[in-house]
Amino acid sequence: MKRSESREALFILMFQSTFYKDADFNEIIENATEEGEIQIDDYAKRAFEEIHGNLTEIDSSIEKYLNNRSISRLSRVALSALRIAVYEISDQDDVPESVAINEAVNLVKKYDTQESASYVNGVLGSYVRNK
């Protein structure tokens, strides 16, 4: 599985988790794979677990760059993509910052609006410049 495909599976898991805040990440993975929606490889599973383990820290990092918005005002799509990108930028040495940003923007373009994608690009650009 290509990394971009794995990242999209991770994105779907992250998006689904925004609807099931009390669910264990293993439950979300089980539900997604049982329904046959996605194939989850080791990278997506590991990243999903690590993101959920550090969600408060990741969200705090994101919130610093939202320009007077709160996380609760973001679309679930944008929030899911931002969480993945911030995780990859801060914790994955094998993912270049530009790739993490580009992949996040492309996911938001695919599942949300161009305006949302531009906003995510700006937030991530600010994050990278100031981290």
Side-chain angles (χ1 to χ4, degrees), residues 71-96:
I71 282 196
S72 64
R73 289 195 56 218
L74 294 176
S75 72
R76 293 172 193 262
V77 169
L79 179 58
S80 299
L82 283 166
R83 285 174 169 168
I84 294 167
V86 167
Y87 161 76
E88 288 186 329
I89 291 166
S90 62
D91 294 333
Q92 298 299 304
D93 295 333
D94 64 333
V95 179

Side-chain angles (χ1 to χ4, degrees), residues 29-41:
I29 290 172
E30 265 184 51
N31 290 339
T33 54
E34 281 177 8
E35 295 171 15
E37 291 179 33
I38 55 175
Q39 291 183 2
I40 300 168
D41 66 0

Side-chain angles (χ1 to χ4, degrees), residues 53-73:
N54 296 300
L55 205 53
T56 303
E57 180 181 306
I58 291 169
D59 285 355
S60 176
S61 295
I62 292 167
E63 204 150 31
K64 292 176 189 174
Y65 303 100
L66 294 181
N67 299 327
N68 299 320
R69 284 192 188 177
S70 67
I71 282 196
S72 64
R73 289 195 56 218

